[in-house]
Amino acid sequence: MSMAFKQTVTLHDGTLMPRLGMGTWHLAEGRRPERQEIAAALRAGLDAGITLIDTAEMYADGGAERLAGRAIAGYDRFRLFLVSKVYPHNAGRGRLRRSLEASLARLGTDYLDMYLLHWRGSIPLSETVACMQEARADGLIRNWGVSNFDVDDMRELFAVPGGDACAVNQDLYHLGSRGVEFSLLDWMDAHGVPLMAYCPLAQAGVLRDGLLSSPVVRRIADAHGVEEMQILLAFVLRRDDVIAIPCSGDARHVLANLRVRDIELTADELAALDDAFPAPSDKEPLDMQ
């Protein structure tokens, strides 16, 4: 393992959160046999030492949480880091607690390490923050955060009483979608909020076009003796304050992602990637898919 790779990020309360995890978006949707997704993917990752699993009540209408719950059965819960998310319309008084308890039941656990507001909705942030804080005080969650928040959303959140307890912000981030780099990451760094990068391998839709076929990406992958996917992941994890949760229902891909820990992109390689896929020079809406 590279001495340069930092395996955890320290949250504001001192909690150590793994920087490489497994996402479950698009799992439990019938694309593959459930046995393959549980045993050949999630459990392969768990057995290899990947302890962070990210899911949501939205994914497969709770099916992804049930899938993750079956995958973690028999493993030491205290060694795992489980993250789930609440729908915006469930993020208010009364409904958040019911959603949280339903997620816990599907996962087969009595607490979450992290609970996120999936995206902004009509319920006031002050109400959601109060509900999150109550759930934390009651021991149902260890930490809470948000997802799909941009810099103005984060500023508004931190202006709410208790809003500065937000532990992470989860946004789409990969080499082909670098909107978070314009102003959001700087703001989060200044306030001690790590970024959880979903779709770090550009799994979702057209944003993946051109990345895997890029001569620059291929050349760098060849130089490190890895696949193009691992270079995309290494790019996202080049910053010590970023957490990545690539999704896969294939054990080979899950285990291949572990090779990112041995990849140190050089300054010249980062410059080449930056030239081929530049960061935005102006503020732009964040991608969500």
Side-chain angles (χ1 to χ4, degrees):
M1 184 182 299
S2 168
M3 295 298 293
F5 186 81
K6 186 178 177 184
Q7 295 201 68
T8 60
V9 64
T10 303
L11 303 181
H12 53 67
D13 67 344
T15 297
L16 298 180
M17 183 172 181
R19 292 186 60 230
L20 178 61
M22 296 181 287
T24 60
W25 191 16
H26 297 312
L27 297 188
E29 293 181 350
R31 301 184 181 196
R32 306 174 192 83
E34 181 178 289
R35 181 179 176 184
Q36 175 184 345
E37 293 182 335
I38 292 177
L42 291 177
R43 285 184 178 169
L46 290 169
D47 291 340
I50 302 176
T51 57
L52 167 60
I53 297 178
D54 175 89
T55 188
E57 69 172 344
M58 183 191 80
Y59 300 162
D61 294 324
E65 289 178 325
R66 283 188 289 270
L67 184 86
R70 288 191 284 272
I72 65 175
Y75 288 85
D76 183 355
R77 172 66 183 90
F78 294 102
R79 295 177 62 87
L80 304 179
F81 198 103
L82 301 183
V83 182
S84 194
K85 310 178 198 72
V86 60
Y87 270 121
H89 59 265
N90 287 335
R93 187 66 59 186
R95 300 190 71 170
L96 185 143
R97 181 62 65 99
R98 288 196 294 271
S99 284
L100 173 55
E101 290 175 347
S103 290
L104 293 174
R106 288 189 288 267
L107 284 162
T109 185
D110 56 4
Y111 71 94
L112 289 175
D113 298 277
M114 185 73 68
Y115 197 38
L116 307 180
L117 171 61
H118 209 152
W119 65 87
R120 289 203 66 171
S122 60
I123 293 174
L125 289 177
S126 57
E127 183 176 342
T128 298
V129 168
C131 293
M132 289 287 196
Q133 295 287 66
E134 289 172 7
R136 187 181 184 193
D138 291 342
L140 298 180
I141 61 176
R142 297 288 174 86
N143 271 296
W144 64 268
V146 294
S147 181
N148 296 299
F149 270 42
D150 206 340
V151 64
D152 288 342
D153 302 307
M154 294 300 295
R155 290 192 182 106
E156 185 177 342
L157 175 66
F158 268 57
V160 169
D164 58 356
C166 172
V168 299
N169 178 26
Q170 183 178 127
D171 283 308
L172 187 146
Y173 180 41
H174 58 71
L175 179 60
S177 179
R178 301 176 60 179
V180 297
E181 295 182 28
F182 184 77
S183 58
L184 178 59
L185 281 182
D186 286 344
W187 189 95
M188 291 171 61
D189 285 346
H191 292 81
V193 181
L195 174 73
M196 285 187 75
Y198 72 84
C199 292
L201 306 181
Q203 296 103 317
V206 298
L207 293 174
R208 185 171 179 173
D209 290 354
L211 291 178
L212 299 183
S213 61
S214 164
V216 174
V217 174
R218 286 181 173 177
R219 172 172 56 79
I220 296 173
D222 289 343
H224 289 272
V226 298
E227 299 177 6
E228 290 84 355
M229 288 289 196
Q230 280 69 68
I231 298 303
L232 301 186
L233 192 54
F235 174 82
V236 168
L237 289 172
R238 75 195 187 282
R239 296 176 54 112
D240 289 344
D241 57 352
V242 172
I243 300 150
I245 47 168
C247 303
S248 180
D250 184 289
R252 187 182 72 85
H253 293 156
V254 171
L255 297 178
N257 289 337
L258 286 169
R259 298 193 65 184
V260 72
R261 299 179 299 184
D262 299 314
I263 301 172
E264 291 185 53
L265 297 174
T266 67
D268 287 344
E269 288 169 341
L270 288 171
L273 291 171
D274 195 57
D275 185 60
F277 300 95
S281 57
D282 295 296
K283 185 61 185 167
E284 58 186 36
L286 297 182
D287 294 316
M288 294 181 64
Q289 60 180 4

